[in-house]
Amino acid sequence: MKNKLKVFLFALLSLIILSGGHAKAETISIASDTAYAPFEYKDSDQIYKGIDVDIIKEVAKRQNWNYKMSYPGFDAAVNAVQSGQAKALMAGTTITEARQKVFHFSEPYYDTKIVIASRKDNPIKSYKDLKGKTVGVKNGTASQTFLDKNQAKYGYNVKTFDTGDLMYNSLSSASIAAVMDDEPVIQFAIRQNQNIAINMQGEAIGSFGFAVKKDSGYDYLIEDFNKALKEMKEDGTYQEIMTKWLGGSGKKTLLKSTENANAKATPLKAKYKITADSSFAPFEFQNGKGEYVGIDMELLKAIAEQQGFTIEISNPGFDAALNAVQSGQADAAIAGMSITDARKKIFDFSDSYYTSNILLGTKSGSGIKAYSDLKGKTVGAKKGTASYDFLDKHKDQYQYKLKAFDEASSMYDSLNSGSIEALMDDEAILKYSIQQGRQFETPVKGEPSGEYGFAVKKGSNPELIEMFNNGLAKLKENGQYDKIINKYLASDKEDKAREVIADESTIFGLLSNNYKQILSGLGTTLSLTLISFAIAILIGLFFGMIAVAPSKALRMVATIFVDLVRGVPLMIVAAFIFWGIPNLIENITGHQSPINDFLAATIALSLNGGAYIAEIVRGGIEAVPKGQMEASRSLGIPYKTTMRKVILPQAIKVMLPNFINQFVISLKDTTIVSAIGLVELFQTGKIIIARNYQSFRMYAILAIIYLIMITLLTRLAKRLEKRLK
């Protein structure tokens, strides 16, 4: 028995040695994308196929892998490898410095390029041929970044799409003149008999690699892959796979920087509207005098002066700034915005003007010294930021809970109050908050998070990108760039940019320094409330009257209006009017039709208030006994006269107090429409807090102001009610 056991163990050991020391009998799970033709996609036979599938099949054959491929989608595939649910990643994954920190990549198996394609009957043979035309691109891609970067140079318009099928359908219908996409994707579309052609060389943007998680114990898979790939290239198998799916490949052309310190582009507009964040110190924030200052503000103004173009800057907030550019309300945005693949699908970016790091912040004395100390704790980050992406990627590894915030002030307050144990934010922002007196510390070394860029809507205002790049190059050359950066990031606490007239840690100091901004915000709030309520009364009276009309059709119209407006949240109504309608008009007419934020807010509040006032009017009229109408009509008095002379005078007594209540509600609702970037009283308070972090005192001041206004209105309503009685 012992001899048999020895023979078995010897045979097993020999098998392991002969197989290169790896347990090749184990099943190697490889995660891939769901639909990225021609690299991986499911055909009509419901079987996954493509370049990645064929390469893995050939590598497995040569290296004796027992493997299984799954196709959960790109993000899910990446997460599966990181969490250990899959051993390797093969999904057309571009090899980047950021990803190399997490994954061990093979040698590149495909050098990807982006390329312009056009209809066969209207070929585009050079970028100059695109002048005045519209080029389609998918949101968040390298193609979008390239087109945005060169838009000013070549004078084309950029139109973004969420999916490739919509983009290619638009090209087919001639609503756009060309598209830019990954070369193999376009080549695959051509092979599917799409009426498109490539008449230009592509732009090299990177290489695809096979990947495993670092330190996962599966580095031998990379060695196997590289060895097999080398053999495949030498014996022609690799080229056979490429020819099968692509029918050939072109030469790659490297991207060139658009920077030219001595060049000046020609502005195509008398004035450019630029949007920015409202509270992202030290990049943009209000100083004690109510002026917007910061790195972004000073860089933009210096570049505009150097390049000789005129700008008009507004600061509606980050989301509103980006939406304004997308909807055509503004020409460009500068808001400490990281250049990401997803954003490149929507925006054309300038060259980077700031390299950012993200940093973990904790309360002083928290005891947190490493990411591992976050286990079981809650960590905050702003939605849509590099910080949030980093934390989301590593939450399973370090077992913390992730809490998302819409803006920085509430996140910093949550850390200060102890409702979260840590936060992650851009290094400059976090250190600025510490300089402003926050008792925080940064126990962990920062993580590189990317580059900040100036952005225009894809395909639009290419000259703006060119002027920004040229101006930025000039500022770096003459030293002005370094002066601006050091002004806001230097440790000198006497920095004039942060100077305030009085100590803002007191109520008196806050009011003394910021009363002008507060009064301005209050004026906007009252103006908005008064105008929208006056319009709402007219709308409400009209629909309230037809809600009790003898005609069933009219009553139905009133019911539909009230149900429709009251059934949609006010914030969505405002967003649809401000961002949705301009996009809709542009899609229909091809021309941008911006809507002013105050006008959009007025329309939204008027419609919302009108729907509720319509119900007040209807209820007031129905509160008058029916006998009044019947008696008047029996005397031969017409319906309209009866309404005007008999019913309404009695109904108004019932309605008037409710009108005052509705006015109070409209006043409160102005805080909701601040979401579209309107700087009313509440938004003004948030902007002040972003600079000085005095959230408790500032919100207390705002609460008192609203309380005084609403109390006065409530007293007025009660006095009117008593007089009417």
Side-chain angles (χ1 to χ4, degrees), residues 569-572 574 605 665 667-677 680 682:
L570 176 58
M571 186 183 294
I572 294 177
L605 285 171
I665 292 171
L667 178 62
K668 292 180 180 179
D669 284 348
T670 57
T671 61
I672 297 175
V673 296
S674 66
I676 64 173
E680 40 66 74
F682 178 61

Side-chain angles (χ1 to χ4, degrees), residues 58 81 231 299 324 459 477 497 518 635 661 720:
E58 185 64 25
V81 176
E231 293 173 357
L299 274 179
E477 183 183 87
I518 294 171
L635 293 173
N661 290 333
L720 285 172

Side-chain angles (χ1 to χ4, degrees), residues 50 54 191 239-248:
D54 282 2
R191 290 172 65 84
Q239 189 57 48
E240 288 177 7
I241 294 173
M242 292 299 159
T243 303
K244 172 184 175 182
W245 295 105
L246 304 179

Side-chain angles (χ1 to χ4, degrees), residues 92-253:
T93 311
T94 305
I95 302 170
T96 65
E97 290 183 2
R99 287 172 178 163
Q100 285 178 321
K101 295 176 181 178
V102 183
F103 296 103
H104 184 186
F105 280 92
S106 69
E107 293 295 324
Y109 67 85
Y110 186 83
D111 294 327
T112 186
K113 291 189 292 185
I114 52 176
V115 68
I116 293 286
S118 55
R119 293 187 306 280
K120 292 179 180 178
D121 58 349
N122 191 15
I124 301 293
K125 297 183 179 180
S126 70
Y127 291 114
K128 292 180 180 178
D129 293 344
L130 292 172
K131 186 173 182 179
K133 295 182 171 63
T134 300
V135 187
V137 70
K138 288 184 290 184
N139 284 337
T141 59
S143 299
Q144 185 184 23
T145 304
F146 177 85
L147 288 176
D148 288 342
K149 191 173 185 179
N150 292 280
Q151 185 177 6
K153 184 176 181 180
Y154 296 111
Y156 48 72
N157 298 315
V158 179
K159 184 174 179 61
T160 58
F161 295 86
D162 289 328
T163 61
D165 57 342
L166 291 175
M167 180 173 72
Y168 287 102
N169 286 339
S170 297
L171 178 61
S172 179
S173 65
S175 62
I176 57 177
V179 299
M180 180 170 253
D181 205 350
D182 289 329
E183 186 176 45
V185 177
I186 293 179
Q187 289 174 331
F188 183 81
I190 293 172
R191 290 172 65 84
Q192 302 305 307
N193 298 318
Q194 293 275 344
N195 183 33
I196 58 177
I198 299 173
N199 298 292
M200 296 171 56
Q201 285 192 342
E203 307 287 344
I205 58 167
S207 302
F208 291 167
F210 172 80
V212 300
K213 184 181 177 181
K214 276 193 170 182
D215 302 320
S216 63
Y218 294 103
D219 285 358
Y220 75 89
L221 295 178
I222 299 297
E223 297 171 7
D224 286 355
F225 184 94
N226 288 341
K227 182 179 178 181
L229 181 64
K230 182 179 179 181
E231 293 173 357
M232 289 162 62
K233 288 182 176 180
E234 290 174 350
D235 63 22
T237 307
Y238 171 84
Q239 189 57 48
E240 288 177 7
I241 294 173
M242 292 299 159
T243 303
K244 172 184 175 182
W245 295 105
L246 304 179
S249 60
K251 298 178 181 179
K252 64 181 180 180
T253 304

Side-chain angles (χ1 to χ4, degrees), residues 484-679:
I484 293 172
I485 296 297
N486 292 334
K487 176 180 178 181
Y488 290 95
L489 298 184
S491 59
D492 183 6
K493 293 186 179 180
E494 298 301 319
D495 193 332
K496 292 181 180 180
R498 304 187 196 109
E499 239 177 48
V500 290
I501 300 169
D503 180 10
E504 293 194 335
S505 63
T506 65
I507 295 288
F508 174 79
L510 273 175
L511 290 173
S512 175
N513 290 345
N514 303 292
Y515 73 92
K516 290 182 179 179
Q517 296 101 290
I518 294 171
L519 289 176
S520 176
L522 178 60
T524 302
T525 292
L526 291 175
S527 299
L528 180 61
T529 305
L530 291 169
I531 295 171
S532 64
F533 190 71
I535 298 172
I537 288 177
L538 297 176
I539 295 172
L541 285 172
F542 174 76
F543 284 101
M545 293 291 288
I546 67 174
V548 294
S551 170
K552 185 177 180 180
L554 289 176
R555 294 199 300 273
M556 181 62 69
V557 169
T559 300
I560 291 172
F561 168 76
V562 171
D563 290 346
L564 183 64
V565 175
R566 294 204 308 181
V568 180
L570 176 58
M571 186 183 294
I572 294 177
V573 174
F576 177 75
I577 293 169
F578 187 58
W579 293 311
I581 289 179
N583 273 322
L584 179 63
I585 294 173
E586 183 182 4
N587 289 335
I588 294 173
T589 66
H591 299 288
Q592 293 180 344
S593 302
I595 296 177
N596 178 271
D597 54 2
F598 187 88
L599 176 60
T602 300
I603 295 171
L605 285 171
S606 298
L607 290 173
N608 188 71
Y612 285 95
I613 290 174
E615 287 295 279
I616 293 172
V617 172
R618 181 190 61 78
I621 292 172
E622 290 181 347
V624 178
K626 291 183 179 180
Q628 299 281 336
M629 174 65 77
E630 293 170 355
S632 179
R633 295 304 303 278
S634 66
L635 293 173
I637 301 174
Y639 176 82
K640 291 182 180 179
T641 305
T642 300
M643 265 293 180
R644 189 172 70 254
K645 298 288 187 179
V646 179
I647 304 300
L648 286 179
Q650 299 178 69
I652 286 174
K653 293 182 180 181
V654 178
M655 293 186 288
L656 197 55
N658 291 325
F659 280 172
I660 302 296
N661 290 333
Q662 184 58 43
F663 183 81
V664 170
I665 292 171
S666 295
L667 178 62
K668 292 180 180 179
D669 284 348
T670 57
T671 61
I672 297 175
V673 296
S674 66
I676 64 173
L678 183 68
V679 184

Side-chain angles (χ1 to χ4, degrees), residues 186-493:
I186 293 179
Q187 289 174 331
F188 183 81
I190 293 172
R191 290 172 65 84
Q192 302 305 307
N193 298 318
Q194 293 275 344
N195 183 33
I196 58 177
I198 299 173
N199 298 292
M200 296 171 56
Q201 285 192 342
E203 307 287 344
I205 58 167
S207 302
F208 291 167
F210 172 80
V212 300
K213 184 181 177 181
K214 276 193 170 182
D215 302 320
S216 63
Y218 294 103
D219 285 358
Y220 75 89
L221 295 178
I222 299 297
E223 297 171 7
D224 286 355
F225 184 94
N226 288 341
K227 182 179 178 181
L229 181 64
K230 182 179 179 181
E231 293 173 357
M232 289 162 62
K233 288 182 176 180
E234 290 174 350
D235 63 22
T237 307
Y238 171 84
Q239 189 57 48
E240 288 177 7
I241 294 173
M242 292 299 159
T243 303
K244 172 184 175 182
W245 295 105
L246 304 179
S249 60
K251 298 178 181 179
K252 64 181 180 180
T253 304
L254 294 174
L255 288 173
K256 295 180 180 179
S257 173
T258 59
E259 289 186 1
N260 188 340
N262 298 313
K264 288 190 178 182
T266 303
L268 300 181
K269 294 183 178 181
K271 181 183 291 185
Y272 289 95
K273 294 182 178 179
I274 315 295
T275 55
D277 204 344
S278 58
S279 54
F280 191 52
F283 289 92
E284 46 263 317
F285 63 99
Q286 281 187 334
N287 61 14
K289 300 176 183 178
E291 303 164 336
Y292 276 101
V293 295
I295 294 172
D296 286 350
M297 299 294 96
E298 295 207 22
L299 274 179
L300 181 60
K301 290 174 183 177
I303 289 171
E305 182 180 355
Q306 196 277 327
Q307 287 287 298
F309 62 96
T310 306
I311 57 174
E312 176 186 320
I313 307 175
S314 61
N315 297 74
F318 185 79
D319 290 338
L322 270 58
N323 285 325
V325 175
Q326 284 183 267
S327 62
Q329 310 271 7
D331 297 306
I334 185 166
M337 178 165 49
S338 297
I339 303 171
T340 66
D341 288 341
R343 287 173 180 158
K344 286 178 181 180
K345 295 175 182 177
I346 306 170
F347 301 102
D348 287 325
F349 282 94
S350 69
D351 295 332
S352 169
Y353 66 84
Y354 182 78
T355 301
S356 62
N357 290 317
I358 51 177
L359 200 59
L360 191 73
T362 62
K363 290 188 73 172
S364 298
S366 67
I368 296 173
K369 301 297 180 185
Y371 290 119
S372 56
D373 295 332
L374 296 173
K375 184 177 181 180
K377 295 179 170 60
T378 301
V379 187
K382 289 185 292 182
K383 289 187 292 187
T385 61
S387 299
Y388 187 91
D389 292 341
F390 177 86
L391 291 173
D392 189 46
K393 183 184 288 186
H394 294 89
K395 65 181 179 181
D396 292 333
Q397 180 182 357
Y398 295 114
Q399 299 179 35
Y400 50 73
K401 299 173 185 176
L402 179 57
K403 183 177 177 62
F405 291 85
D406 289 321
E407 43 86 31
S409 59
S410 58
M411 178 173 71
Y412 282 79
D413 285 341
S414 295
L415 177 59
N416 197 53
S417 66
S419 60
I420 60 175
E421 285 82 9
L423 60 80
M424 182 168 265
D425 204 354
D426 287 344
E427 182 176 17
I429 313 323
L430 183 53
K431 289 188 174 179
Y432 179 83
S433 75
I434 294 172
Q435 288 176 349
Q436 297 303 303
R438 291 280 187 174
Q439 298 300 309
F440 299 158
E441 59 187 9
T442 55
V444 182
K445 184 181 178 182
E447 305 284 344
S449 62
E451 312 287 334
Y452 286 173
F454 174 78
V456 299
K457 186 178 179 182
K458 210 164 186 63
S460 64
N461 302 310
E463 74 283 359
L464 253 183
I465 295 295
E466 186 176 353
M467 290 188 293
F468 187 94
N469 287 341
N470 293 340
L472 179 63
K474 189 65 177 179
L475 295 187
K476 288 181 178 179
E477 183 183 87
N478 62 25
Q480 193 173 354
Y481 172 85
D482 289 333
K483 288 181 181 179
I484 293 172
I485 296 297
N486 292 334
K487 176 180 178 181
Y488 290 95
L489 298 184
S491 59
D492 183 6
K493 293 186 179 180

